[in-house]
Amino acid sequence: MNIVEFEISGCFLIQSKKFKDHRGSFVKTYHQDIYRELSLNFDFAEEFYSISHKNVIRGMHFQAPPADHDKIVYCPVGAVNDVFVDIRKSSKTYGQFKQIELTEDNGYILFLPKGIAHGFVSLADNTLMVYKTSTTHSTVNDAGIRWDSFGYDWKIENPILSERDKNFVDFSNFDSPFV
């Protein structure tokens, strides 16, 4: 595994080796010792996945304290433009965002710490995204910011969105619960 920290503190790109042969492919998505060597003490409490049609945008989601969580995400089938934004008030990169393509071909994995809003646009039908989180989902603490309010150009004219994602607060009016 090759692990690189992004400009946004605590956010990591994990490049795992992908093995391919006549049977298909194999990718290791998590290795506890490697994470701990980097002080990423991640014990996941919940895992889930989503399957999306092309042009679906999901985001920008996070869980507010005290149910906030670290998150690992990857795309084993299809492709997404994955986007995350720093919503930690005291961070020197507050309000900054990063985009990276996660695909079944590149096998990239993201580690996102507490205080990061996360979303993606699906680039292909039947795209599968897997999420591992350090806390279980809390309906009361489930939150987000509006997908088109923080400066990222999604490069899509007619995105498919949930009503929930359409109605999140704009970033300019957002009062972050993350110090």
Side-chain angles (χ1 to χ4, degrees):
M1 288 183 153
N2 181 38
I3 301 178
V4 179
E5 188 168 13
F6 289 104
E7 303 82 29
I8 298 174
S9 177
C11 297
F12 291 87
L13 171 65
I14 300 147
Q15 298 167 308
S16 191
K17 290 180 182 170
K18 185 169 190 172
F19 300 94
K20 292 176 109 176
D21 63 19
H22 66 282
R23 300 167 297 164
S25 60
F26 175 87
V27 177
K28 184 182 293 190
T29 61
Y30 180 76
H31 189 285
Q32 186 179 54
D33 293 342
I34 292 171
Y35 278 57
R36 289 203 172 136
E37 283 175 22
L38 294 167
S39 298
L40 301 176
N41 296 316
F42 183 80
D43 293 318
F44 64 93
E46 189 169 45
E47 179 178 69
F48 46 96
Y49 69 87
S50 66
I51 299 173
S52 300
H53 301 297
K54 184 176 182 179
N55 298 329
V56 165
I57 293 178
R58 295 183 188 258
M60 298 295 293
H61 305 147
F62 61 90
Q63 280 206 161
D68 49 339
H69 56 227
D70 298 321
K71 182 186 294 186
I72 293 173
V73 296
Y74 55 93
C75 180
V77 177
V80 301
N81 274 333
D82 197 276
V83 181
F84 53 95
V85 60
D86 190 345
I87 57 173
R88 301 167 293 187
K89 288 180 185 176
S90 63
S91 172
K92 63 183 174 187
T93 55
Y94 176 78
Q96 292 183 26
F97 57 85
K98 179 75 178 161
Q99 175 275 328
I100 188 159
E101 194 168 299
L102 303 179
T103 71
E104 65 184 283
D105 291 330
N106 68 26
Y108 289 170
I109 301 160
L110 292 179
F111 175 87
L112 304 173
K114 297 171 183 171
I116 301 294
H118 172 257
F120 65 85
V121 59
S122 177
L123 303 175
D125 281 330
N126 299 312
T127 292
L128 173 67
M129 282 290 286
V130 177
Y131 315 76
K132 295 180 190 313
T133 58
S134 62
T135 62
T136 57
H137 180 261
S138 167
T139 305
V140 173
N141 299 92
D142 191 32
I145 57 172
R146 191 171 154 94
W147 64 280
D148 60 352
S149 68
F150 59 95
Y152 178 69
D153 179 2
W154 293 87
K155 296 180 176 79
I156 185 169
E157 288 188 30
N158 296 307
I160 303 165
L161 295 144
S162 70
E163 286 304 312
R164 173 179 169 251
D165 289 355
K166 288 179 189 177
N167 292 312
F168 282 137
V169 65
D170 284 353
F171 187 70
S172 62
N173 296 321
F174 175 62
D175 183 19
S176 179
F178 297 94
V179 179

